[in-house]
Amino acid sequence: MRKIYLFAIIICVVLSGNKTSAQDIHFSQTRFAPLNLNPGLTGAEHSLQTIANYRNQWNSVADPFSTIAASFESRLKEKYGQKGFLALGVNFFNDVAGDVRMTTTNASANIAYHIILDRNSTLGLGIQPGFGQRGISPQNGLWSSQFQNGGFNTAIPSGENFGELSFTHFDLASGMVYRYSRRESSIRSNDHLHFTGGLAAYHINMPQNTFLVGG
């Protein structure tokens, strides 16, 4: 058991010791997008779960920003008295943003193992390998070089040197989750206690992506 805790501490130190920055899709209701939040949540709270999300926003100021996402997760071969359990899952999302239709698509597989610490606690570690796709339609955009006499003249070249308008890349994420759940001692007691905390890192392989040549 000491080795397990030591391994967990090492993972935390490694993940927190590097400067990280990214801008990914996110949902305000994170409980309903667990695999976008932490790969370690795969199978952490439910034996079987399927989730679908759809969001459409900013209609009044631009082309709608739309996001769809879906995930499925399941525990494998749970048995009474076992020391842990394995869980598998799949996750998918597609996001389209703005007039230039900047598109982000990601499909990944999840695998997590959860160690049963006691009757109320588990500690899980998950990995999420997958593939991502990025795309853009620059012909619908307005660019700073086109601003003329207080307005935009789309006949003026954009001045942007686009290399690829669509590309794919391998993506890797990992996460660790601690979960504590104590059931009510009786129907009327209302003393249920639940806590879930974790740490996750996405784009661990740091894929180098750009639409611009030399930028």
Side-chain angles (χ1 to χ4, degrees):
M1 188 61 69
R2 289 182 178 179
K3 292 182 179 180
I4 295 172
Y5 285 120
L6 179 60
F7 177 72
I9 293 172
I10 292 173
I11 291 293
C12 289
V13 172
V14 170
L15 293 180
S16 61
N18 297 299
K19 180 181 178 181
T20 58
S21 60
Q23 183 174 349
D24 293 329
I25 66 163
H26 59 277
F27 295 95
S28 57
Q29 300 291 332
T30 55
R31 183 174 179 82
F32 300 104
L35 304 192
N36 286 325
L37 184 65
N38 192 324
L41 285 171
T42 307
E45 298 186 338
H46 302 280
S47 298
L48 182 68
Q49 180 172 239
T50 300
I51 293 176
N53 287 298
Y54 173 75
R55 180 177 62 189
N56 187 276
Q57 58 185 347
W58 309 116
N59 295 30
S60 60
V61 296
D63 268 10
F65 286 44
S66 61
T67 308
I68 59 173
S71 66
F72 171 81
E73 56 184 298
S74 176
R75 296 177 184 176
L76 302 181
K77 296 182 179 180
E78 287 187 273
K79 295 180 180 179
Y80 180 78
Q82 65 185 7
K83 297 181 179 179
F85 57 88
L86 184 69
L88 301 178
V90 291
N91 189 49
F92 169 84
F93 69 80
N94 174 264
D95 180 73
V96 182
D99 296 329
V100 296
R101 312 292 291 171
M102 183 172 288
T103 304
T104 303
T105 303
N106 188 279
S108 57
N110 289 54
I111 180 170
Y113 187 79
H114 299 270
I115 301 169
I116 300 174
L117 304 177
D118 53 48
R119 61 178 299 178
N120 297 320
S121 305
T122 61
L123 179 66
L125 179 66
I127 59 173
Q128 186 185 71
F131 284 92
Q133 184 270 336
R134 301 294 301 272
I136 193 174
S137 301
Q139 65 273 13
N140 298 323
L142 299 176
W143 312 92
S144 58
S145 60
Q146 297 173 333
F147 190 75
Q148 186 181 60
N149 300 324
F152 283 93
N153 182 357
T154 56
I156 300 175
S158 69
E160 304 293 339
N161 188 13
F162 289 99
E164 296 184 53
L165 300 183
S166 179
F167 52 79
T168 59
H169 60 86
F170 175 73
D171 207 0
L172 181 65
S174 181
M176 180 176 60
V177 167
Y178 170 78
R179 180 174 182 268
Y180 178 87
S181 182
R182 187 187 67 200
R183 296 181 179 181
E184 293 180 335
S185 55
S186 64
I187 295 177
R188 297 183 179 181
S189 60
N190 195 28
D191 58 353
H192 172 75
L193 181 61
H194 176 85
F195 170 81
T196 302
L199 182 68
Y202 284 77
H203 317 299
I204 295 175
N205 56 313
M206 300 180 67
Q208 301 297 312
N209 301 320
T210 180
F211 292 109
L212 301 177
V213 174

